[in-house]
Amino acid sequence: MTPASLRTYIGTWIALMVLLALTLGSSFVPLHGFNTTVNVAIALVKATLVAVVFMRLRTSSALVRLAALAGVMWLLILIGLSFTDLLIRY
């Protein structure tokens, strides 16, 4: 695998900084309960950028992509179980 070009890293950094500014800006906009949804969506975009560029998932083998997908699925299972526990308690 060849490393990504400097242009790719600078573009990713700029995109992450823009998303950071969006996150900061959304904290000053009164969206009530929708703020959390917007910020989680921005965080997902940032995490995807980091995974694709810095972890090089786009150019990795299928096994590495499968391992990353398994990690995401495991995280979703844990979040789902925690949410279920929360619903049962309240």
Side-chain angles (χ1 to χ4, degrees):
M1 284 190 305
T2 60
S5 67
L6 183 62
R7 183 177 180 181
T8 302
Y9 289 135
I10 291 173
T12 304
W13 181 76
I14 290 170
L16 288 171
M17 291 299 112
V18 167
L19 290 168
L20 175 66
L22 277 174
T23 303
L24 179 67
S26 73
S27 68
F28 293 108
V29 177
L31 297 175
H32 307 293
F34 196 58
N35 271 14
T36 303
T37 307
V38 169
N39 288 332
V40 168
I42 293 171
L44 284 173
V45 171
K46 287 193 270 189
T48 303
L49 270 174
V50 169
V52 169
V53 174
F54 297 116
M55 294 174 62
R56 300 182 186 147
L57 285 182
R58 181 178 291 172
T59 59
S60 295
S61 67
L63 184 61
V64 173
R65 290 183 192 172
L66 184 63
L69 181 66
V72 170
M73 293 305 293
W74 182 247
L75 179 66
L76 290 175
I77 289 170
L78 290 175
I79 289 171
L81 289 173
S82 296
F83 187 68
T84 302
D85 181 54
L86 180 73
L87 288 177
I88 290 172
R89 289 177 190 254
Y90 297 103

